[in-house]
Amino acid sequence: MRLKSLFAKVGVWVALGAIGLGGGSAVGQDKAPILIGHYGSLTGSEATFGQSTSNGIRLAIKELNAAGGLNGRLIELKEYDTKGDPKEATNSVTRLVASDKVSAVLGEVASGLSLAGGPVCQENGIPMISPSSTNPRVTMVGDMIFRVCFIDPFQGQVCAKFARENLKLTKAALFYDQKAPYSDGLAKEFRKAFEKLGGKITAEEKYTGGDQNFKAQLTKIRGTGPEVIFIPGYYTDVGNIALQARELDLKVPLLGGDGWDSEQLGKIAKQAIVGSYYSNHYAPDQDDARVKEFIAKYKADYNGATPDGLAALGYDAAKILFDAMKRAKSLGGKDLRDAIAGTKDFPGVTGSITIDSKRNAVKSAVVVEMTGDPPTPKYRATVAP
Ligand code: PHE
């Protein structure tokens, strides 16, 4: 009996192998699934970053596979949890590249974690696309590293412009995470742009991600009389900071970058975050046909959940990878790299995406305001590069 089933299996295997001999397309002769990797924070204080990204990637894979895959080859995903930790990020990418032998890697969200994983892809010649890391250094790691989002010098300008021109404010305080490259970098970019527009920075205070008590710094900030506080942090810290600011009777609007983007922000901060603003890659309530279609598909797959910017960017990053795989001479690192570099006017949910010579995307940003109960982001403005 056992022998018979073994023969049966071998038979099936031989048959599949034979089918695989046909073809001859760019993607290759064989019909085995194409393995791609994703590393993201699926747990920890930035858990929604990895979860949303994963949802977006999976939706893109599902659509492609339902349509027959890439020249008949299905896409298969290997995914590891970075837990928001740089060492785990390096280990995850090493596993994807060395053991799983993926063709390409998607991730990370947080710039500090992309900076930890990127060098492994670069050294091994495997293309990596970060959906959402905005710190300029991320793609400077080397020619294998791409992103499909804008970068922080632009995002800093967007926030400064919004504070000066839309809100008409001149005095801003800075409060940022000194250990996160994203936060530290965006604070500097905001300062530069805000001062250039005639604004004044009244205070510069720092925290470390995961801190629980922010009152000493917030008290100092309060003493300098700012009209707005720029907090380019991640959502869990920002939520806690907002709660403590209001407890200290600090009532001015808070302003931040894409790191605020999580449904958890409104749940943590509740009414303390109402009337505050952040810049982002997309807004679910934008009047845009492509956005609406994406939201409908995402809701159908994920229990009616509204996709955040990370879900949209994960979806776009995966689709850009598949588009490049279709055009690539082979799935070998260099050929695939060249195809990704050739991405032009790709119609993404987060805007039209062209990869520039530094492997970044040049795109518009949106500004959203937190309103409602529980507070959720509402579209307020689009800022073009
Ligand atoms: N831009 C952030 C970073 O570089 C990550 C992020 C993107 C977070 C989009 C939320 C939404 O660290």
Side-chain angles (χ1 to χ4, degrees):
M1 197 57 197
R2 277 185 72 196
L3 203 62
K4 199 176 156 198
S5 77
L6 179 67
F7 272 120
K9 267 186 201 148
V10 170
V12 170
W13 184 75
V14 170
L16 284 174
I19 296 168
L21 290 175
S25 65
V27 170
Q29 318 276 314
D30 103 61
K31 295 291 171 201
I34 298 169
L35 205 55
I36 66 168
H38 170 229
Y39 69 120
S41 51
L42 302 170
T43 58
S45 54
E46 280 87 56
T48 67
F49 287 177
Q51 291 164 359
S52 292
T53 306
S54 178
N55 288 349
I57 293 171
R58 285 170 198 276
L59 180 58
I61 293 176
K62 186 181 134 184
E63 284 175 10
L64 183 80
N65 286 348
L70 279 173
N71 296 325
R73 292 182 70 182
L74 299 183
I75 298 284
E76 212 174 278
L77 183 69
K78 261 278 174 188
E79 183 171 73
Y80 294 110
D81 182 6
T82 63
K83 303 171 188 159
D85 178 73
K87 279 197 209 83
E88 297 283 348
T90 306
N91 291 343
S92 299
V93 178
T94 303
R95 234 172 280 151
L96 288 171
V97 167
S99 313
D100 303 320
K101 306 221 177 297
V102 297
S103 296
V105 173
L106 300 173
E108 233 272 358
V109 170
S111 290
L113 302 181
S114 286
L115 284 166
V120 181
C121 284
Q122 183 63 33
E123 280 155 27
N124 289 278
I126 299 297
M128 174 180 123
I129 305 177
S130 168
S132 41
S133 287
T134 47
N135 185 282
R137 278 161 48 208
V138 168
T139 46
M140 290 177 190
V141 163
D143 65 349
M144 287 286 159
I145 316 298
F146 297 85
R147 76 179 107 217
V148 298
C149 56
F150 52 67
I151 57 175
D152 286 334
F154 171 65
Q155 184 165 213
Q157 272 171 34
V158 168
C159 292
K161 218 171 147 195
F162 187 80
R164 282 291 295 123
E165 291 169 11
N166 296 58
L167 303 178
K168 310 224 179 300
L169 305 176
T170 48
K171 291 188 286 175
L174 299 178
F175 192 26
Y176 61 93
D177 179 349
Q178 57 192 343
K179 296 253 170 74
Y182 159 74
S183 193
D184 175 77
L186 188 50
K188 292 196 168 72
E189 295 297 344
F190 176 85
R191 173 192 275 276
K192 227 193 287 171
F194 194 66
E195 286 175 344
K196 211 167 167 187
L197 291 168
K200 192 175 166 294
I201 302 295
T202 64
E204 179 169 340
E205 292 293 327
K206 298 165 193 176
Y207 64 90
T208 297
D211 282 354
Q212 294 302 309
N213 191 334
F214 303 93
K215 288 195 171 161
Q217 301 98 307
L218 288 169
T219 303
K220 282 195 204 157
I221 287 173
R222 189 180 60 188
T224 65
E227 297 163 315
V228 58
I229 308 172
F230 186 62
I231 313 174
Y234 295 138
Y235 64 87
T236 301
D237 295 326
V238 172
N240 291 329
I241 290 169
L243 286 170
Q244 292 177 29
R246 300 325 181 205
E247 274 168 37
L248 291 172
D249 216 29
L250 197 45
K251 297 224 168 81
V252 298
L254 311 178
L255 177 64
D258 54 356
W260 286 28
D261 191 23
S262 171
E263 62 158 12
Q264 286 301 315
L265 177 64
K267 291 191 178 155
I268 296 167
K270 305 191 185 72
Q271 293 307 297
I273 200 75
V274 167
S276 289
Y277 303 86
Y278 65 99
S279 58
N280 205 3
H281 307 266
Y282 127 113
D285 58 339
Q286 243 169 303
D287 189 20
D288 179 300
R290 226 181 280 148
V291 167
K292 286 187 179 138
E293 190 196 331
F294 169 68
I295 292 176
K297 287 192 283 199
Y298 189 94
K299 284 191 165 171
D301 264 31
Y302 298 108
N303 287 321
T306 300
D308 57 20
L310 293 154
L313 285 167
Y315 182 78
D316 281 352
K319 289 191 75 153
I320 281 184
L321 176 60
F322 304 152
D323 175 69
M325 283 177 161
K326 274 182 214 151
R327 288 183 284 105
K329 282 202 219 102
S330 79
L331 295 184
K334 172 81 171 61
D335 286 340
L336 184 53
R337 189 223 87 87
D338 289 348
I340 298 169
T343 301
K344 214 176 162 301
D345 302 326
F346 184 89
V349 174
T350 59
S352 173
I353 299 170
T354 296
I355 301 292
D356 71 12
S357 63
K358 293 185 171 147
R359 299 171 302 282
N360 301 321
V362 179
K363 295 156 79 184
S364 296
V366 300
V367 178
V368 295
E369 178 178 2
M370 294 296 285
T371 61
D373 188 14
T376 54
K378 304 288 173 329
Y379 174 79
R380 287 292 175 261
T382 299
V383 184

